[in-house]
Amino acid sequence: MKIERPKIVEENLELGEDLVGWMEECQQLGQDLKGKVFANQVVTNLTVENLDITKCIFRRCRFVGCTLEKVGFSDVVFEKCDLSNSRWEQSAIQRGEFLQCKLVGAAWPDIFLQNTYFEGCRCTYLDLTKSLLKTVYFSNCDCTAALLRQCQLKEAAFRETALSGANFYQTKLEGQDFSTCQIDGLMMVGPELRGAEIAEHQAVDLINFLGVKIKGK
């Protein structure tokens, strides 16, 4: 699977010193937030709607108690940011990278992800319910107990990723290769797994979905 990476040349970007101020001003003026690098900033209890953010880099930033609704991201990089418990609703990310970020308990329902790459992220309890993941790659992430219910996975991939206790209820997993992932305790009805690929040693983790019991246990 080939992912389009963010089209950014950092040398061409300007240093943004006030992330909150830029976001509020662009929202009020109906302008895009574009061409900035934001580093070591903390955004607290901010609510933003109908804003487009493009060609920006966020480095070691924290978003605390923030709500973003109908926000569009394109050509963006989040590096070592903390987005835990943030709420992004009905938003979209195209050509995005999340590198070593924390997304613990983040609520991103009904979001559209395209050409988005997650590397080394902590995504425990991340909620992607009813989202569309198109050409999305999770590598070396911790998605323990993540909610991927009623999602559409189109060329989405998980590699060396912890999916223990993840909820895939009513999400078709045909073509998914989980052979390098931890998949114990998955939550689903069972038919969702049809057509998925697993390693031989993982079969015991899925035995419950076959309606049979292992003798002696």
Side-chain angles (χ1 to χ4, degrees), residues 17-210:
E17 297 183 353
D18 181 6
L19 176 54
V20 174
W22 275 106
M23 294 182 78
E24 291 180 337
E25 180 178 348
C26 289
Q27 180 178 234
Q28 291 172 1
L29 298 176
Q31 298 177 348
D32 295 353
L33 176 54
K34 184 177 182 179
K36 303 290 183 184
V37 177
F38 298 99
N40 302 308
Q41 300 198 32
V42 179
V43 181
T44 303
N45 298 323
L46 180 67
T47 298
V48 175
E49 297 180 9
N50 300 306
L51 176 66
D52 287 326
I53 300 174
T54 183
K55 294 188 182 299
C56 287
I57 296 175
F58 301 87
R59 189 169 285 136
R60 296 181 300 276
C61 293
R62 293 181 61 208
F63 294 79
V64 181
C66 295
T67 298
L68 279 64
E69 186 173 349
K70 297 180 180 178
V71 172
F73 294 89
S74 60
D75 298 308
V76 293
V77 175
F78 289 82
E79 182 181 341
K80 296 182 179 179
C81 292
D82 189 349
L83 306 168
S84 298
N85 298 310
S86 61
R87 188 167 188 86
W88 296 7
E89 294 187 67
Q90 299 178 30
S91 296
I93 302 172
Q94 298 195 53
R95 292 183 303 278
E97 288 186 349
F98 293 82
L99 310 175
Q100 300 180 52
C101 292
K102 289 179 63 178
L103 295 91
V104 177
W108 294 6
D110 196 20
I111 197 170
F112 172 55
L113 303 177
Q114 183 173 23
N115 288 305
T116 302
Y117 179 74
F118 296 84
E119 168 69 39
C121 294
R122 187 179 175 191
C123 305
T124 52
Y125 300 100
L126 171 64
D127 185 358
L128 291 170
T129 299
K130 294 184 178 180
S131 294
L132 170 58
L133 283 62
K134 186 176 182 181
T135 319
V136 176
Y137 197 99
F138 288 85
S139 176
N140 291 291
C141 294
D142 184 357
C143 295
T144 300
L147 301 178
L148 293 117
R149 301 171 297 193
Q150 297 176 291
C151 288
Q152 296 183 59
L153 306 182
K154 298 184 178 181
E155 294 191 60
F158 301 87
R159 297 292 183 270
E160 302 290 344
T161 288
L163 291 165
S164 302
N167 190 327
F168 285 98
Y169 177 68
Q170 291 187 348
T171 296
K172 293 183 179 180
L173 301 175
E174 184 176 1
Q176 289 298 314
D177 183 355
F178 293 122
S179 61
T180 64
C181 300
Q182 299 173 31
I183 58 171
D184 55 297
L186 290 183
M187 299 182 66
M188 62 186 74
V189 177
E192 295 93 338
L193 277 169
R194 187 175 292 113
E197 298 180 17
I198 62 172
E200 184 176 354
H201 71 273
Q202 293 173 312
V204 67
D205 294 324
L206 306 176
I207 197 72
N208 290 336
F209 298 112
L210 300 178

